[in-house]
């Protein structure tokens, strides 16, 4: 498996004893991110109530190489068992962002969900980026689909 170097740094408030993201299996696409709370929240963790959302710190900053992004995606186990998802999935981490990596978790389940310090809450995927060269024109080329969309081909 090709490995693209991505540099990690702890934030000032991070608990540096937590494991760094790593791939759980040889061909895993995602590396899990852990909740890494500032000292005041480490005992209590954070509770996300049904229908609510919260910003969970990971304690990490990244330097992603030019031409790549990191996507933050939900973990399917948390989604299935607890309704925990990311309202902005996939979260976009730009290659030139150097701030703290945060995970926006939303509780679509029926029960309050407690996030404890060190829990694996989401996963990050490294992906290549293509930028468009935008060109303004008066007309666009014709296609068979034309303006049909939003269910125009039916459901069957
Ligand atoms: O789930 C996320 C999404 C984004 N970010 C960070 C990295 C990203 O590079 C930056 C900006 O994200 P985005 O472009 O999605 O946010 P925006 O609302 O458009 O803010 P901005 O105006 O700062 O770009 O915020 C996170 O830490 N977690």
């Amino acid at each position: 498996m090709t490995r693209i170097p991505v540099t990690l740094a702890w934030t000032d408030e991070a608990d540096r004893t937590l494991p760094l993201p790593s791939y759980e299996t040889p061909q895993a696409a995602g590396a899990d991110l852990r909740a890494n709370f500032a000292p005041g929240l480490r005992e209590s963790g954070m509770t996300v109530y049904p229908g609510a959302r919260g910003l969970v710190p990971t304690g990490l900053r990244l330097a992603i190489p030019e031409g790549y992004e990191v996507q933050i995606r939900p973990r399917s186990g948390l989604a299935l068992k607890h309704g925990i998802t990311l309202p902005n999935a996939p979260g976009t981490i730009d290659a030139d962002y150097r701030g703290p990596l945060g995970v926006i978790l939303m509780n679509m389940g029926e029960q309050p969900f407690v996030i404890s310090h060190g829990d694996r809450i989401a996963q990050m995927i490294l992906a290549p980026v293509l930028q468009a060269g935008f060109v303004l024109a008066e007309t666009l080329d014709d296609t068979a689909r034309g303006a049909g969309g939003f269910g125009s081909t039916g459901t069957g």
Side-chain angles (χ1 to χ4, degrees):
M1 183 69 74
T2 307
R3 291 282 176 113
I4 307 295
V6 173
T7 308
L8 305 172
W10 295 113
T11 62
D12 290 343
E13 301 245 88
D15 171 3
R16 297 169 178 231
T17 68
L18 290 184
L20 288 170
S22 64
Y23 295 99
E24 300 280 330
T25 65
Q27 295 183 54
D32 287 341
L33 287 166
R34 292 174 187 271
N36 193 326
F37 293 115
L41 269 180
R42 280 182 200 160
E43 296 299 319
S44 60
M46 181 190 281
T47 302
V48 186
Y49 290 92
R53 55 192 179 270
L55 181 63
V56 183
T58 65
L60 292 171
R61 300 185 302 123
L62 299 184
I64 303 163
E66 185 180 336
Y68 293 87
E69 62 161 335
V70 160
Q71 300 178 1
I72 307 183
R73 299 192 196 158
R75 293 188 68 202
S76 59
L78 295 180
L80 179 62
K81 289 181 201 148
H82 304 286
I84 295 298
T85 190
L86 278 62
N88 62 331
T92 305
I93 311 301
D94 302 286
D96 53 2
Y97 178 71
R98 295 290 178 273
L101 201 65
V103 177
I104 307 166
L105 285 189
M106 180 164 194
N107 186 349
M108 298 181 73
E110 298 76 36
Q111 302 297 327
F113 183 73
V114 177
I115 303 156
S116 299
H117 185 61
D119 280 356
R120 290 182 288 141
I121 47 162
Q123 57 185 319
M124 62 176 179
I125 278 82
L126 182 69
V129 168
L130 295 177
Q131 278 194 344
F134 297 109
V135 179
L136 184 63
E138 292 298 328
T139 58
L140 302 178
D141 62 318
D142 289 327
T143 68
R145 173 184 283 273
F150 309 102
S152 65
T153 63
T155 56

